[in-house]
Amino acid sequence: CADEESISEVDASSDGGSPAADGGGAEAHGRARPVRRGPTALEPVVLSHSSALAVAVDETSIYWIDGCHADHLVMKMPLSGGDSVMLAPGGDTPTLAVHDGYAYWVDDGDLKRVPSTGGDVETLLGWGSVGPFVLQGDYVFYMMTDEDHPHSGPIYRTHLDDVESTEMFTWAATSLAVEGTNLYFTTTDGGVWRANMAGEGYAELARAKAHPGNLAPTKDAVYWTTGAGLMTAPTSGGAATLVESW
């Protein structure tokens, strides 16, 4: 939550950030490698100096949960920059989504939403056990968590206009994402899975050697992180390969 004076830019061409200059660089200290910047790389633009716990975008605006504020405010700002607007008191999990004119987040285990233009906050699922979630069409897919398992749980599906939930997958999922008409998720035992939105056609795409973390599917491949690096496998199934180690 630094102020403007305490934030400085690092010249990518200087020696200050090179491995030779700092005695081995970031990898020597167990940190992530610096981003490789090509000649056409975009320069970052600072839109806000707040600590963002989660970020989402739509066609015109960027949204984030402000971790600098005690209430973790849900904030909004034009993508071109400008004044930020507080939409609502925010959440306590690093999950935020914008879908069909609403911003969605989780606060104390309850799924909430507010119009992206501002307005009243609505609690969709007030069970106190909603974890990470994704939205697709008229449905929200979420992990049901508890105090003993705050980062994993079975996957449920709920229609946005109906609080009745359907359990889709009973195993302990650790992350989930959507692409096209499919839901992708990872499990605590190292599985990388795919199913359709109806909860049918389950297929294990790969078996990770290390605990899978964040998940990002595309049309042809699914990517996930482990403690060893970035992994990928075809969405049609096949051997997992290492993209980048760290």
Side-chain angles (χ1 to χ4, degrees):
C1 304
D3 56 26
E4 202 166 322
E5 288 72 28
S6 64
I7 295 178
S8 60
E9 293 185 3
V10 177
D11 185 354
S13 63
S14 70
D15 292 334
S18 67
D22 64 8
E27 290 180 274
H29 301 283
R31 300 194 299 271
R33 295 179 179 179
V35 176
R36 299 188 181 100
R37 304 178 67 182
T40 60
L42 297 176
E43 291 295 329
V45 176
V46 177
L47 296 178
S48 173
H49 293 297
S50 64
S51 177
L53 301 181
V55 177
V57 296
D58 61 15
E59 292 81 2
T60 61
S61 301
I62 182 170
Y63 305 76
W64 71 95
I65 296 179
D66 185 355
C68 290
H69 196 281
D71 289 334
H72 290 175
L73 305 178
V74 177
M75 304 294 295
K76 173 186 177 182
M77 176 187 291
L79 287 173
S80 58
D83 294 333
S84 59
V85 177
M86 191 273 285
L87 296 178
D92 51 9
T93 61
T95 305
L96 176 68
V98 182
H99 182 71
D100 283 350
Y102 286 89
Y104 294 79
W105 71 97
V106 173
D107 183 19
D108 198 23
D110 297 342
L111 180 65
K112 299 184 177 183
R113 72 177 182 181
V114 66
S116 58
T117 55
D120 295 334
V121 175
E122 179 184 0
T123 299
L124 296 179
L125 298 173
W127 302 334
S129 56
V130 177
F133 66 92
V134 294
L135 294 133
Q136 182 75 346
D138 295 328
Y139 290 91
V140 56
F141 302 85
Y142 62 94
M143 289 162 42
M144 183 78 79
T145 60
D146 56 39
E147 292 184 359
D148 295 330
H149 305 90
H151 305 296
S152 63
I155 297 175
Y156 284 78
R157 180 191 67 191
T158 297
H159 196 282
L160 292 175
D161 295 328
D162 184 359
V163 297
E164 186 70 25
S165 291
T166 301
E167 187 176 51
M168 296 184 62
F169 195 77
T170 59
W171 295 357
T174 57
S175 62
L176 67 165
V178 293
E179 201 287 320
T181 59
N182 290 317
L183 175 72
Y184 296 83
F185 55 96
T186 59
T187 56
T188 55
D189 62 351
V192 180
W193 290 77
R194 181 194 66 216
N196 62 32
M197 296 300 176
E200 301 169 343
Y202 288 104
E204 186 178 70
L205 302 179
R207 174 64 55 170
K209 294 181 180 180
H211 185 74
N214 295 324
L215 185 66
T218 67
K219 180 180 178 181
D220 300 316
V222 58
Y223 298 83
W224 67 93
T225 59
T226 71
L230 177 65
M231 305 292 296
T232 186
T235 53
S236 57
T241 57
L242 178 67
V243 177
E244 181 76 11
S245 61
W246 45 56

